[in-house]
Amino acid sequence: MREVEISRAIVEAYFNDLLGNLQLDVAVVGAGPSGVVAGYYLAKGGAKVAIFEKKLSIGGGIWGGAMGFNRVVVQESAREILDEFGVDYRPAGNGLYVLDAIELASTLASRTVKAGVKVFNMIEVEDLLVKDGRVSGLVINWTPVMMTGLHVDPLTVEARFVVDSTGHGAQISQHLLKRGLIKAIPGEGPMWAEKGEELTVEHTREVFPGLYATGMAANALAGAPRMGPIFGGMLLSGRKAALEILQKLGK
Ligand code: 48F
């Protein structure tokens, strides 16, 4: 066994995948619950989709549950998504269900990868391609390059649709705001679980030609309330974006 053979296997496999994913139907940015669920339903519907995540792990805000108590809650309307993924839950009264955050994060991750979504972690999306008034891809760089501020030029990925699933900061839509391409990102409002859950799904939409927003990014773009450790809206938002995009792709 030679070390260089191990290296060759890794380099070949990784770069074949990267080469194979430079032109996508859909590029999802951010592997939190809404982005991962969007990726899953897009792949299941026949789209070529990859997720770009700046951290090492995928799952975003799921892992810590609430205040580090690693349990999360979903409401009745999101149960069918848990059933689709095969995540266990138990009734907690008043139409709520409680589940293990570790099981949710790991199962979403595993099922999404098995559905055919390529996840590129440790890659930060630092900008967007915008041509003729339409978002048409991503500008990407290694997270460590972004963290250290080294002057290293990025690479690009073409996509027919981009999904901003970057959570509370709506990081991807911010690039449009700073160029005056969208008017405002009001940011999330004070906590109101029921309203926030409802509005997250309602505001999941194409926010600029070629760009969808899901989850907390959709909330931030609309100035809707935050909702804390209830996750049904995130799952429903990811699925809604996926189904709309599939329709626009003619899938
Ligand atoms: O924040 P996050 O989990 O997004 P979400 O799908 O879910 C929100 C909930 O976790 C929670 C909540 C629930 O009720 O309020 O907060 O809206 O995941 C966002 C992911 O995007 C990544 C980030 O590391 C995280 O994993 N991300 C953010 N900016 C970038 C990025 C970027 N520029 N490039 C790549 N990944």
Side-chain angles (χ1 to χ4, degrees):
M1 185 197 293
R2 292 171 61 202
E3 290 79 3
V4 74
E5 298 301 342
I6 300 171
S7 301
R8 181 172 292 119
I10 290 171
V11 171
E12 256 177 30
Y14 186 86
F15 284 99
N16 280 339
D17 276 342
L18 189 57
L19 267 176
N21 285 276
L22 290 180
Q23 286 177 298
L24 296 165
D25 288 326
V26 189
V28 178
V29 188
S34 69
V36 169
V37 168
Y40 171 86
Y41 282 101
L42 282 160
K44 266 195 68 180
K48 185 170 175 54
V49 53
I51 303 179
F52 295 84
E53 166 55 53
K54 71 177 180 182
K55 293 189 177 155
L56 280 176
S57 65
I58 82 174
I62 301 173
W63 298 99
M67 230 178 87
F69 306 159
N70 59 7
R71 301 289 182 275
V72 297
V73 167
V74 303
Q75 61 278 53
E76 184 67 37
S77 54
R79 256 176 72 188
E80 59 181 355
I81 300 182
L82 297 179
D83 291 338
E84 164 77 18
F85 277 90
V87 176
D88 289 337
Y89 49 84
R90 60 179 180 74
N94 301 313
L96 298 175
Y97 298 85
V98 66
L99 51 144
D100 184 325
I102 307 304
E103 183 185 350
L104 179 64
S106 57
T107 308
L108 291 183
S110 162
R111 294 288 313 280
T112 298
V113 169
K114 297 268 187 221
V117 178
K118 275 291 159 215
V119 179
F120 294 97
N121 60 347
M122 222 179 80
I123 291 185
E124 182 162 339
V125 177
E126 62 158 71
D127 208 346
L128 289 168
L129 296 177
V130 184
K131 296 187 183 176
D132 298 325
R134 185 179 173 86
V135 167
S136 56
L138 308 178
V139 180
I140 60 171
N141 217 326
W142 296 120
T143 298
V145 165
M146 302 300 287
M147 288 170 79
T148 49
L150 289 172
H151 188 165
V152 178
D153 264 320
L155 292 173
T156 53
V157 173
E158 272 182 16
R160 293 171 70 191
F161 285 93
V162 170
V163 184
D164 182 351
S165 301
T166 58
H168 299 253
Q171 296 299 332
I172 295 311
S173 306
Q174 297 285 354
H175 297 300
L176 298 180
L177 179 67
K178 76 180 177 218
R179 274 128 187 171
L181 294 170
I182 56 176
K183 284 202 177 70
I185 301 181
E188 69 197 14
M191 194 182 292
W192 182 359
E194 192 167 1
K195 206 73 192 151
E197 283 293 278
E198 209 179 284
L199 290 176
T200 296
V201 184
E202 196 177 313
H203 290 301
T204 296
R205 58 170 174 252
E206 194 170 16
V207 292
F208 186 83
L211 180 70
Y212 266 77
T214 66
M216 288 313 294
N219 254 35
L221 277 149
R226 60 188 297 207
M227 73 294 292
I230 179 158
F231 275 70
M234 301 299 127
L235 310 179
L236 291 162
S237 164
R239 184 178 67 176
K240 179 182 172 187
L243 298 183
E244 278 191 21
I245 293 170
L246 285 171
Q247 208 169 26
K248 289 185 179 172
L249 289 170
K251 302 269 182 200

